[in-house]
Amino acid sequence: MDTIRLFVFALCSILFACKKQPSHVPIAPNQNEIKAFSTLEKPPFIWQSANVYFLLVDRFKNGDPTNDNVLDRTKKTAKLRGFEGGDIKGIIQKIEDGYFNTLGINALWFNPVVEQIHGSVDEGTGNTYPFHGYWTKDWTQIDPNFGTYEELAKLIDVAHQNGIRILMDVVLNHTGPVTDKDPVWTENWVRTSPTCTYKDYNSAVSCTLVQNLPDTKTESDQAVTLPQPLIDKWTAEGRLQSEKDELDIFFAKTGLIRSPKNYIIKWLTDYVRELGIDGYRVDTVKHVEEDVWAVLSEQAKIAFIEWKNKNPNKVLDDNEFYMLGELYGYEINGGRMYDFGDRKVDYFAHGFDNLINFQFKKDAKQLSNEKLFSTYDNLLRTKLIGKSVMNYISSHDDGAPFDKDRNTTYESATKLLLTPGISQIYYGDETARSLTIEDTQGDATLRSTMNWDDLASEETKSLLAHWQKLGQFRKDHPSIGSGNHKMISASPYIFSRQYKTDSFIDTVVIGLGLRKGTKTIKTANLFLDDTQLVDAYSGQEVIVKDHSVSITSEYDIVLLEMKKK
């Protein structure tokens, strides 16, 4: 077999001028190439094709009721604005149950789990506690409502054992609000005014997002000492000196200035260095100077290499550390640039591999499947070549999602999971968890507890099965997110995706909106006659004849892939 593979690779080099970077030029693989592909045990993991699951830890699953009531967070809150009990152990349980693998998930993103402010904030609608994880008190600790450091380490190990990468949600822009239990940090660390007006670059960066959300002075290059509230906290916990010793080592090793941003970068990259975090989902990207993100990316990559060197038996692949950013308002048709009005910034040139695409939900509503797929394919291979975007239909803070009333849940899955780029499933998309909860205010309606009980109904089971089939197909085929899209037939609607490197070819053919019963699916010249294919949606096996196959199923969708050997 090794001889055959060497022959295949040599032939590929001569005939197709194969390069190390993926080519998106569609080709008709010869029989040897098909055999080489079909003998692969599993496809390579490619971040640009990832199927990401995003969840709020507190709202997903309660795996440990003993940590539900800690830190005296006992004030009465507005509806869905307190801690509900979900935790890290709950996530571990669902990984071990196979829930994510069955859904085709190969990357997991959950909200920040570092220690949050201890007090509550009255936002005019009642008290709110930091169940969402974006109000940091101490970057070096795990919040006890979410779990422990040891549990986080186990989660990462269990995820990796199941082929799931971890995206750590990180906040560098701000600390948590000031409360009676959470004093404001020192003035050389944070500003408390003015509030951002978003009129230009400076009024989006050198300001607080909202009132009472102290803004880290990330623009500062002045050396500062630790903020007094943190000194007091660590002194009471008996670990001030050990933390200071670690900081001395980090700053001596990196040569970085002891500025506010670099302290936080140290604390964030510790999780990569010690636990093997695979990537970051970075919060509030446009509210921090872009050069800061470049430093975070550089230090995270170094930390990831250090972890791999120390843990060779745990390394999943040779991918570099991955940086995904929440640049609020970014849209894919803008290409690499984000426009502040008085200034355009290319965040992809400052450490980011991917940005969340706030345009997808609009395109999913307005464009036909072919227009959607071909447009994104073209943008990713021209304006964003070498980079990618993350598409979503709903999230924790988007009050106008693609399908807020959950009326088009099947269409949501089909469009999201088959569109080029990274797909982001928000917990409960796959089970039609309600996004409209009575008596809630603001984004609380988007953040209800996971509707596990609904899985007892046949309707929810059927919907989940649709998401699972598409998700597994996407996970098995990097061509879905990263390959070249080409329409084969407009009516019936059939298209192909093909992804090729110097050692790997992945080709699929997909049909949507087809007649139920018997249908003929053209495969163009992508597969040789007598090639065995499988419809991953119905499970039916077929053989290519005259560049087409015949499928008889009760479904209007066909997902053709080569039969695995």
Side-chain angles (χ1 to χ4, degrees):
M1 183 56 68
D2 289 340
T3 302
I4 293 175
R5 285 176 176 168
L6 288 173
F7 171 74
V8 171
F9 297 159
L11 184 62
C12 181
S13 297
I14 295 171
L15 295 179
F16 303 110
C18 292
K19 300 178 181 179
K20 290 186 178 181
Q21 293 299 318
S23 167
H24 297 283
V25 179
I27 63 171
N30 64 33
Q31 191 63 42
N32 282 335
E33 286 173 323
I34 291 173
K35 289 179 179 178
F37 162 74
S38 63
T39 55
L40 290 175
E41 294 183 1
K42 60 181 180 179
F45 174 79
I46 301 169
W47 271 110
Q48 290 85 343
S49 306
N51 190 22
V52 178
Y53 195 93
F54 169 39
L55 61 89
L56 297 182
V57 177
D58 179 70
R59 303 299 161 88
F60 188 63
K61 189 176 190 303
N62 191 346
D64 183 8
T66 66
N67 64 21
D68 289 358
N69 299 303
V70 294
L71 298 179
D72 193 32
R73 289 166 169 159
T74 55
K75 290 182 180 179
K76 181 177 176 59
T77 67
K79 189 169 184 178
L80 287 177
R81 289 190 174 273
F83 284 89
E84 299 286 327
D87 48 41
I88 292 170
K89 277 190 176 180
I91 303 173
I92 294 172
Q93 290 173 7
K94 296 310 293 183
I95 297 175
E96 293 177 332
D97 288 348
Y99 184 79
F100 297 110
N101 279 334
T102 306
L103 193 56
I105 300 302
N106 50 17
L108 184 61
W109 155 31
F110 44 88
N111 63 271
V113 293
V114 297
E115 186 174 358
Q116 300 294 289
I117 61 170
H118 294 186
S120 64
V121 175
D122 186 346
E123 297 186 325
T125 57
N127 287 311
T128 297
Y129 281 110
F131 69 89
H132 46 66
Y134 295 96
W135 290 350
T136 306
K137 181 181 183 74
D138 186 347
W139 276 274
T140 70
Q141 293 278 87
I142 303 302
D143 192 281
N145 263 121
F146 298 136
T148 66
Y149 182 88
E150 291 73 23
E151 289 164 358
L152 178 61
K154 180 179 179 181
L155 185 157
I156 296 164
D157 282 345
V158 171
H160 285 171
Q161 291 162 14
N162 284 270
I164 300 172
R165 278 72 178 168
I166 298 296
L167 282 169
M168 180 180 179
D169 202 333
V170 298
V171 181
L172 197 153
N173 173 70
H174 55 269
T175 67
V178 180
T179 77
D180 56 344
K181 297 181 179 180
D182 308 283
V184 66
W185 283 22
T186 324
E187 287 186 4
N188 57 4
W189 271 81
V190 300
R191 63 172 58 84
T192 56
S193 64
T195 303
C196 296
T197 59
Y198 310 109
K199 295 179 180 179
D200 51 24
Y201 180 88
N202 285 334
S203 64
V205 176
S206 301
C207 49
T208 66
L209 293 180
V210 294
Q211 289 186 343
N212 195 22
L213 193 63
D215 181 66
T216 310
K217 291 185 175 179
T218 49
E219 79 282 4
S220 173
D221 286 321
Q222 298 299 312
V224 297
T225 58
L226 287 166
Q228 193 60 45
L230 210 50
I231 291 175
D232 295 341
K233 180 177 184 294
W234 289 352
T235 299
E237 294 168 351
R239 59 190 183 96
L240 176 61
Q241 191 56 52
S242 63
E243 292 293 341
K244 291 174 72 173
D245 290 344
E246 283 191 19
L247 288 165
D248 289 343
I249 294 171
F250 175 80
F251 285 115
K253 178 181 177 181
T254 61
L256 293 172
I257 297 170
R258 290 175 180 258
S259 60
K261 58 177 173 284
N262 291 332
Y263 277 96
I264 301 175
I265 286 173
K266 185 271 181 191
W267 297 328
L268 292 175
T269 56
D270 277 349
Y271 293 97
V272 180
R273 188 176 296 103
E274 297 168 5
L275 302 180
I277 296 288
D278 302 278
Y280 288 147
R281 178 272 187 187
V282 180
D283 188 62
T284 53
V285 166
K286 72 179 180 182
H287 302 289
V288 174
E289 298 77 14
E290 58 271 21
D291 291 344
V292 177
W293 301 129
V295 178
L296 176 64
S297 174
E298 177 185 21
Q299 291 302 318
K301 284 180 167 60
I302 292 171
F304 198 39
I305 292 171
E306 291 178 2
W307 179 83
K308 285 186 173 184
N309 289 339
K310 291 179 180 178
N311 300 275
N313 295 331
K314 294 184 177 183
V315 174
L316 295 178
D317 54 44
D318 59 358
N319 280 312
E320 287 189 334
F321 190 83
Y322 200 73
M323 284 271 287
L324 182 152
E326 182 244 359
L327 176 61
Y328 190 81
Y330 168 79
E331 298 188 340
I332 187 174
N333 60 10
R336 294 179 65 107
M337 307 305 293
Y338 182 82
D339 191 353
F340 284 90
D342 64 333
R343 179 175 173 181
K344 292 183 178 180
V345 178
D346 179 1
Y347 287 94
F348 288 106
H350 291 83
F352 285 99
D353 301 290
N354 186 297
L355 294 175
I356 295 174
N357 175 30
F358 289 83
Q359 182 179 339
F360 178 77
K361 62 176 185 174
K362 294 182 289 186
D363 288 341
K365 285 184 178 181
Q366 297 172 4
L367 304 180
S368 67
N369 285 331
E370 174 57 26
K371 184 65 174 177
L372 176 67
F373 299 156
S374 60
T375 297
Y376 276 51
D377 172 62
N378 179 64
L379 288 169
L380 288 169
R381 292 189 297 115
T382 53
K383 289 185 177 182
L384 289 171
I385 189 166
K387 301 292 183 178
S388 191
V389 296
M390 172 183 276
N391 303 314
Y392 72 91
I393 60 163
S394 69
S395 77
H396 62 316
D397 57 8
D398 189 334
F402 169 69
D403 179 26
K404 193 172 194 303
D405 295 327
R406 300 296 197 189
N407 292 324
T408 57
T409 50
Y410 284 83
E411 179 187 0
S412 295
T414 302
K415 286 191 170 179
L416 176 66
L417 296 177
L418 295 181
T419 296
I422 289 181
S423 54
Q424 174 235 291
I425 300 173
Y426 183 44
Y427 77 105
D429 283 345
E430 75 278 18
T431 55
R433 177 180 62 85
S434 178
L435 300 176
T436 305
I437 309 298
E438 290 185 9
D439 300 323
T440 56
Q441 297 291 326
D443 50 25
T445 193
L446 308 171
R447 304 173 178 184
S448 60
T449 53
M450 181 63 176
N451 58 326
W452 295 115
D453 291 345
D454 289 351
L455 287 175
S457 76
E458 292 303 315
E459 181 180 6
T460 305
K461 287 179 182 177
S462 177
L463 174 63
L464 178 59
H466 179 67
W467 282 85
Q468 289 171 335
K469 289 176 182 179
L470 285 166
Q472 290 178 25
F473 191 69
R474 182 185 178 92
K475 178 181 178 181
D476 288 343
H477 296 287
S479 58
I480 301 298
S482 297
N484 178 51
H485 171 87
K486 184 176 182 181
M487 185 172 69
I488 296 174
S489 169
S491 183
Y493 179 48
I494 302 168
F495 63 90
S496 66
R497 296 275 171 82
Q498 187 173 83
Y499 178 88
K500 180 175 75 74
T501 70
D502 59 357
S503 60
F504 177 75
I505 299 173
D506 178 37
T507 305
V508 297
V509 172
I510 299 170
L512 299 177
L514 308 175
R515 70 165 65 181
K516 296 181 180 180
T518 301
K519 47 253 184 187
T520 298
I521 308 299
K522 296 178 181 179
T523 60
N525 64 342
L526 294 166
F527 302 105
L528 299 177
D529 277 359
D530 298 322
T531 300
Q532 290 183 306
L533 303 180
V534 176
D535 172 19
Y537 202 90
S538 68
Q540 184 176 351
E541 297 183 8
V542 292
I543 296 177
V544 178
K545 295 293 183 184
D546 298 325
H547 303 297
S548 65
V549 298
S550 179
I551 298 281
T552 302
S553 74
E554 60 183 301
Y555 307 112
D556 64 356
I557 180 173
V558 167
L559 307 174
L560 287 176
E561 62 185 1
M562 288 187 60
K563 182 179 179 180
K564 299 178 179 66
K565 295 185 178 180

